[in-house]
Amino acid sequence: MALKGFKRERKRSSQSRSLITHINPRSPIAEQYRTMRTNIQFTQVDQTIRSLMVTSSGPGEGKSTTVANLAVVFAQQGKKVLVVDADMRKPTVHYTFRLNNTLGLTNILTKQATLEEAINDSLIDNLYVMTSGPVPPNPAELLGSSAMENLLAELYEQFDLVIFDTPPVLAVTDAQILANQCNGTILVVSSGKTEIDYANKSKELLLNAKGRLLGVVLNNKKDKKGSYYYYYGGK
């Protein structure tokens, strides 16, 4: 299935560009994120989606923007949502939500902080954020640890939905490790940038890791008039 495209709207600040669903919830682009939310909910026939992982083949393809806006539209629906920056190598979530990154996921997994200390309020109702924290020497090992499993179980008790921003699939193994632990995975690709072979290889790696690939987001797709469009399709 595919969604109708929508024009990318330009804003002055990086936060405005990233959180268009909050800044301008009636815009066409915000409506498409809501349609994406609906499509994700339609996949809950066999299993309720309590955790989502969003990744890409390579850097700069829009995964972090997708994470932020999906979180906003789910929160606007009344769900209690937590965004977790699991890209502990090149974290960006704290920039989007304008938060301090001195304390976060790394501190939780290494037992240097409590869950309450690492969760931040956002300016959006029902939406909370856990930044990555300090860059560790062993991100993959931390994501595959029993501490991560225990953290997920604890988060399920407090939140309706947990959305993870992860490193690109082809760069490191982090996304593959986390895909196996989440209820669903979304792969983001960029039109005119992501090579087809790279996208197919990313899909293969995620499926081999026993991840549940819900669909693919194609962004930066131009129509004949030069407007930017996004599409969401099933796998």
Side-chain angles (χ1 to χ4, degrees):
M1 57 185 170
L3 305 184
K4 293 181 180 179
F6 53 85
K7 187 175 181 179
R8 174 188 289 172
E9 300 189 13
R10 298 183 182 275
K11 296 289 179 178
R12 293 181 181 178
S13 71
S14 59
Q15 185 189 44
S16 295
R17 288 196 300 271
S18 296
L19 295 179
I20 187 64
T21 48
H22 174 62
I23 301 298
N24 191 359
R26 294 189 177 184
S27 65
I29 190 170
E31 180 59 31
Q32 292 305 312
Y33 277 110
R34 287 191 288 272
T35 305
M36 192 187 305
R37 176 191 66 194
T38 300
N39 286 344
I40 291 171
Q41 291 171 327
F42 280 153
T43 68
Q44 302 185 83
V45 176
D46 299 321
Q47 181 183 29
T48 300
I49 302 297
R50 298 292 308 282
S51 57
L52 277 174
M53 188 197 84
V54 181
T55 189
S56 60
S57 298
E61 295 181 310
K63 65 178 178 62
S64 297
T65 298
T66 300
V67 166
N69 284 285
L70 267 182
V72 170
V73 295
F74 272 107
Q76 289 171 341
Q77 198 180 43
K79 293 186 180 296
K80 189 177 181 182
V81 181
L82 176 68
V83 171
V84 179
D85 194 345
D87 189 344
M88 292 184 280
R89 301 170 191 268
K90 293 184 178 180
T92 61
V93 168
H94 61 289
Y95 293 124
T96 302
F97 292 95
R98 298 181 180 179
L99 296 169
N100 192 302
N101 193 33
T102 57
L103 191 67
L105 178 60
T106 302
N107 305 91
I108 294 293
L109 297 180
T110 55
K111 299 181 180 180
Q112 297 177 359
T114 65
L115 188 58
E116 290 71 21
E117 291 173 331
I119 294 178
N120 302 277
D121 291 332
S122 73
L123 297 177
I124 301 165
D125 291 342
N126 302 317
L127 179 55
Y128 301 83
V129 180
M130 180 186 293
T131 64
S132 68
V135 177
N138 56 341
E141 287 77 7
L142 289 178
L143 292 176
S145 66
S146 58
M148 186 67 201
E149 293 182 13
N150 295 335
L151 174 61
L152 260 176
E154 193 170 355
L155 293 178
Y156 286 157
E157 294 179 358
Q158 298 190 31
F159 296 93
D160 298 316
L161 179 64
V162 183
I163 305 180
F164 291 92
D165 186 1
T166 69
V169 180
L170 300 183
V172 289
T173 61
D174 301 21
Q176 298 171 57
I177 293 171
L178 197 54
N180 182 255
Q181 302 183 53
C182 292
N183 300 145
T185 296
I186 294 173
L187 178 65
V188 179
V189 297
S190 180
S191 178
K193 180 176 181 178
T194 307
E195 298 288 343
I196 294 177
D197 289 345
Y198 292 168
N200 286 332
K201 181 62 176 179
S202 298
K203 175 183 176 181
E204 178 184 345
L205 290 173
L206 291 170
L207 294 179
N208 287 343
K210 301 188 184 304
R212 184 187 177 196
L213 186 60
L214 301 181
V216 176
V217 173
L218 172 63
N219 65 25
N220 297 326
K221 175 67 175 177
K222 286 186 178 181
D223 66 3
K224 294 181 180 180
K225 296 180 181 180
S227 298
Y228 286 90
Y229 283 75
Y230 289 61
Y231 292 87
Y232 174 81
K235 61 183 178 181

